[in-house]
Amino acid sequence: MIIKNNNSKFITLEGIDGAGKSTHLNWLSDHLRRQGKNVLVTREPGGTPLGEALREILLHQAMHLETEALLMFAARREHLDKVIVPALQEGTWVISDRFTDASFAYQGGGRGLNETKLETLEVWVQQDLQPDLTLLFDVPTEVSQQRLSKNTSLDRFEQEKQDFFQRVRDAYLKRAAQFPERIRVIDSGRTLAEIQTDLEHVFSSL
Ligand code: TMP
């Protein structure tokens, strides 16, 4: 069992590529710091030197879908051990740009990997640790594809077709329906101001 400090919270941000999650990440960390919280921002795949090396491979090299899932969880194991758990134990709030829901959405929904295998890896790697709150930034795939089309260098995931992202989005929404206490769906098609008001509200009740 992973014991955390009562003052800390583990928050994860999720969404399909092009859902605008990175824009909100900066605002959110500033918002929490203004409230006096100690905040650590990190990301997956990545967050440690080994995790960042795995990220390079994962984002640019073709591989079997199970290899992809195993490497995502290998990077996560390292991330939990070196960064996430120590920070949570010392009372720091951790905001991770993606975590295990992304594996269920991308490797499960997008690539079609069996959910039972993902559940086995989830329990193996993170035991009983789950985020306190997950913000799922949701947009229709037509909108995200249009945002991505403005980007000139797309990685292996971003180059996927719209039907792949539709499956990823559906899998995310299925997770949100499965874990309504933990996952908040944020309509990311609205203006920044509207989304920030929504986020302020979510955090005032956390
Ligand atoms: P990012 O572009 O949001 O930094 O994420 C990198 C890519 O990695 C993104 O396209 C989603 C993908 N990904 C997975 O497929 N599975 C995972 O478990 C994680 C954490 C990310």
Side-chain angles (χ1 to χ4, degrees), residues 1-6 8-12 14 40 42 44 73 75-90 92-96 98-101 104 118-134 175 179 182:
M1 191 164 104
I2 295 174
I3 313 265
K4 20 182 291 233
N5 184 312
N6 278 340
S8 61
K9 296 275 180 227
F10 181 26
I11 295 153
T12 59
E14 299 283 357
L40 177 91
T42 185
E44 290 205 352
F73 276 95
R76 185 162 298 133
R77 184 70 194 89
E78 200 65 14
H79 195 202
L80 282 161
D81 183 54
K82 302 281 187 318
V83 177
I84 298 176
V85 172
L88 292 174
Q89 285 177 338
E90 66 174 36
T92 297
W93 284 46
V94 175
I95 306 180
S96 185
R98 299 194 186 280
F99 192 62
T100 301
D101 294 307
F104 281 89
L118 291 165
E119 281 162 2
T120 304
L121 289 171
E122 179 184 31
V123 174
W124 185 8
V125 164
Q126 68 203 63
Q127 300 169 46
D128 59 343
L129 183 77
Q130 289 292 343
D132 295 293
L133 172 70
T134 297
R175 297 279 291 168
F179 304 104
R182 172 172 70 81

Side-chain angles (χ1 to χ4, degrees), residues 63-72 107 111 156-157:
M63 61 188 77
H64 189 277
L65 75 132
E66 291 189 351
T67 310
E68 188 177 281
L70 289 163
L71 289 182
M72 289 291 177
Q107 282 65 55
R111 305 262 192 245
R156 204 163 64 83
F157 291 96

Side-chain angles (χ1 to χ4, degrees), residues 14-187:
E14 299 283 357
I16 56 175
D17 291 86
K21 125 187 103 55
S22 310
T23 314
H24 303 297
L25 179 72
N26 293 330
W27 179 86
L28 185 61
S29 53
D30 288 348
H31 175 71
L32 292 172
R33 284 186 182 119
R34 277 196 298 273
Q35 294 184 342
K37 314 261 188 275
N38 239 342
V39 180
L40 177 91
V41 175
T42 185
R43 70 171 179 181
E44 290 205 352
T48 64
L50 176 58
E52 291 295 327
L54 290 172
R55 179 187 176 90
E56 268 309 296
I57 297 171
L58 279 160
L59 264 51
H60 302 290
Q61 198 166 308
M63 61 188 77
H64 189 277
L65 75 132
E66 291 189 351
T67 310
E68 188 177 281
L70 289 163
L71 289 182
M72 289 291 177
F73 276 95
R76 185 162 298 133
R77 184 70 194 89
E78 200 65 14
H79 195 202
L80 282 161
D81 183 54
K82 302 281 187 318
V83 177
I84 298 176
V85 172
L88 292 174
Q89 285 177 338
E90 66 174 36
T92 297
W93 284 46
V94 175
I95 306 180
S96 185
D97 186 347
R98 299 194 186 280
F99 192 62
T100 301
D101 294 307
S103 302
F104 281 89
Y106 281 79
Q107 282 65 55
R111 305 262 192 245
L113 181 62
N114 180 317
E115 231 174 73
T116 314
K117 289 188 174 164
L118 291 165
E119 281 162 2
T120 304
L121 289 171
E122 179 184 31
V123 174
W124 185 8
V125 164
Q126 68 203 63
Q127 300 169 46
D128 59 343
L129 183 77
Q130 289 292 343
D132 295 293
L133 172 70
T134 297
L135 301 171
L136 171 56
F137 291 92
D138 182 55
V139 281
T141 52
E142 296 77 26
V143 177
S144 62
Q145 289 294 99
Q146 225 200 336
R147 288 181 185 167
L148 285 179
S149 68
K150 294 185 189 131
N151 196 334
T152 46
S153 66
L154 298 175
D155 66 42
R156 204 163 64 83
F157 291 96
E158 291 166 333
Q159 284 169 22
E160 288 288 346
K161 303 247 169 359
Q162 192 171 337
D163 61 339
F164 173 86
F165 288 110
Q166 190 57 54
R167 292 196 300 278
V168 174
R169 183 186 184 208
D170 291 345
Y172 266 135
L173 292 172
K174 184 175 148 205
R175 297 279 291 168
Q178 241 178 316
F179 304 104
E181 300 286 301
R182 172 172 70 81
I183 305 181
R184 290 290 297 255
V185 182
I186 308 285
D187 173 0

